Amino acid sequence: MLVPLSWLKEYVDIEITPEQLEEKLFGCGFEVEELKRLDAEIDRVVVGEVTECEPIEGTHLHLCKVDCGEYGKDIQICTGADNVYKGMHTPAALDGSRLPGGIVIKAKPLRGIPSAGMLCSGDELGLNDDLYPGAEYYGLLDLPKDTVPGTPIAPVVGLDDCIFDISVTANRPDCQSILGIAREVAAILDKPLKMPATDYKITGEHVPGFSIRVEAPDICPRYLGHQVRELKIAESPRWMKRRLALCGLRSISNIVDITNYVMLEIGQPMHAFDREQLESECIIVRRAKEGEPITTLDGKEFILSPENLVICDGEKPVALAGVMGGLNSEITENTHELLFEAAKFARDSVRKTARSLGQNTDSSSHFEKGISEYSVELGMDRALHLIDELGCGKVGPDRYDCDAGEPKVGKTFKASLPRINAILGIEVPEQTARDILRRLQFEVSGPADSLTVTAPRFREDIEVGEPDLSEEIIRMYGFDHITPTFLTDSTVTNGGRRPELKTADRVKRSLCGQGFCEAMTMSFYADEDLDAFHIAKDAPERNVVRIVNPINANMTIMRPLLAPSLRKAVVINLKKGNTEGRLFELANVYTPKSQPVTELPKETQHLGLAAFGSEEDFFSVKGALEDLAADLAMTFTYERAEDVPYLHPGIAAYVVCEGERIGCFGKISNLMTKELDLPKDSKENYKIFLGELDYEKLAAHIPQRILYKPVPALPDLSRDLSLVTAEDVTCGAIEDEIRKACPQVAAVELFDIYRGIQIGAGKKSMSFKVSFRQDDKALDQETEERYIKKILGNLKYRLGVEIRG
């Protein structure tokens, strides 16, 4: 939220520097994201009076003599502006001066004529017409004749101001306005708060027969309307346009500007309806009908549902409550009568409407954080005061107040100062605590151990008494008063990470050692992401947790798989020119315990892998998994995976650990490759491999202790076996049987595959290098032959494999 210091000073006498105020705001819970001085980029720019002005023959330039006071009485400057004249007062940027955007002005010749600086337009100073009249003219800024030459330009044009960009937390909706911040500043500095004027004269006539009715009091607990007649649509005064501009808004007309001004000043969004455009003498606040249309002020058409709250002129919607008015009741230059609206709408109702329709406005932002019924009244009175002050129209006597029993007083509760001190862990002096609450506009009475406290009406966030009061007291008293102490029941421990976290670190370190980078993706995506993976409609992965109020249409479900998130990360990298890489993510996936979802979902950790690039293939990814298993003192085996919908059926495998499937990996299917959002002419160059393991199953097999054995004194003994087998027998199956047949087998490595007429149709030859461990003594020939015989016997009996002759 942008808060100009000059506007704050209207309500509080501020005698400290902006930097000191920034520090004090931070100390009481308000983060100032930026303190921007409007003149920070302007230096050595002063008021200059043009004492001589002659055109330069053959050019569009004028040669001027400029009086800049103490900087020089007779400075020669050339300018190409068409509105320069003798006697003009205008900004002069002298030699070595700086302008917004980092522009440095130097003395240099123009068309061979020496020029000691530059005369400036309003745009060159960063001004517009709302900040200073005439600033948008394409020429020099014409200053009043009473400005003194040599005066720095910033105070002359109103750039001697600074703006606080304050981040207001969601629990302090009362501070989302200039007045709200002013209340806090007044409390911080212990200065009186000057409230904005809210008085007005009733000069308009009574409007007979008009009424307002609220049919949805649960989501519209307070609604105020007031009639204004004989409108005079015109420009707003300079002071109002300037304040709106400092907060980032452009002036439109006096009536529209008043509604924006009240929203910024009081924090109350308002709307003005053209009375003559309303088709009945009744305003109804109700839920929209299914399929009911509306066209908003920005010209967009929407189809509504009963989840949306609308303001109707009898039947037809004329505004989306809390979001935006309708095009059919906007204020124009022909408007003569209006109905002012100020209301309190339920936060969740406005949030759902704004997000479901994609209409996020300044108004909806305020309502989503919360509006108090006190602000509704104050905002309406302030708007009517401005109507009266600016002479925009005649305020009528008709006020329509619809409420759902909202209290007209603040919340009252009992509290104990000793219990508040117990929460804080320090002793705040009683008088200091009372004084702080007084400065924050709380009413306090009674003895310290039995206080009666009434919160101000605008503090609807105060709910739980002593915990809330302790927070209010300490943020004003100062967090530096808190002394660090141990909890009463705490114990001193050596600290350190839990065993499961250490195991996760081992897994991550192993993958990083193999060239993987850790990725962190959002826990949400959409049904379309599962569609892209060709997950069947009745697959278990379709049983998902749906987000009731999603951030946007791309985040509607909690992810049941990591693979879609990693695939997105790969595509983003490829689009940015990163043509190869390896990613992993260790994160939760979510499964509902029942449908409909009535309790928190089951959260399961998965380990997702992605590898892409021209050098990647099935075996490089398989090798990475085998290295991971070796680092964890485990062994993986593999089974062909032909039923994973997003993986190529011939280039995919299940990962098995001690007989249990823990995941799968492989190359994405050809169909998925074609559907990737990548340049069509280069899709065939991209090889993308995805893998996903159930980390909890994996972790259950990781040994907690690793036992090391001495390195054997003798090297492994290797033998080559060439085997003939049926075409459908896999390499993995043969490796498994070799290992099962002989516990002394240290490694099995396939080094050749041959197919040909010598082998026979439907068969293939596979050559393996089998290594045997030699522990204390060398294997004798008899033992070696016994191992080989047992291996060949098992292969023939179980898989029909023959030794190649």
Side-chain angles (χ1 to χ4, degrees), residues 474-535:
I474 194 59
R475 68 186 185 88
M476 289 292 171
Y477 188 53
F479 290 98
D480 54 330
H481 286 91
I482 295 179
T483 304
T485 59
F486 280 113
L487 296 173
T488 306
D489 299 326
S490 65
T491 57
V492 179
T493 66
N494 291 328
R497 294 172 69 76
R498 299 194 305 273
E500 59 268 26
L501 296 179
K502 291 181 179 179
T503 300
D505 288 343
R506 289 172 57 194
V507 171
K508 292 180 179 181
R509 282 196 298 269
S510 175
L511 291 170
C512 289
Q514 298 170 56
F516 284 84
C517 295
E518 184 171 8
M520 293 184 182
T521 61
M522 295 290 288
S523 298
F524 314 102
Y525 46 66
D527 289 295
E528 289 76 10
D529 293 293
L530 295 178
D531 293 341
F533 271 60
H534 302 281
I535 305 294

Side-chain angles (χ1 to χ4, degrees), residues 350-427:
V350 176
R351 185 182 302 112
K352 289 176 182 178
T353 295
R355 293 186 180 178
S356 64
L357 301 180
Q359 286 290 90
N360 294 301
T361 62
D362 290 337
S363 175
S364 68
S365 175
H366 279 70
F367 280 113
E368 286 177 26
K369 291 179 180 176
I371 295 294
S372 69
E373 52 88 20
Y374 170 80
S375 296
V376 174
E377 298 171 9
L378 185 63
M380 177 63 78
D381 291 343
R382 180 60 171 161
L384 296 177
H385 168 85
L386 292 171
I387 288 284
D388 191 24
E389 179 184 343
L390 303 184
C392 302
K394 294 184 178 181
V395 180
D398 304 297
R399 172 167 291 196
Y400 312 93
D401 189 350
C402 303
D403 68 79
E406 281 286 318
K408 304 302 186 290
V409 295
K411 300 173 184 177
T412 299
F413 46 85
K414 291 289 185 178
S416 164
L417 187 56
R419 286 199 294 270
I420 289 175
N421 285 334
I423 293 173
L424 297 175
I426 59 174
E427 289 292 325

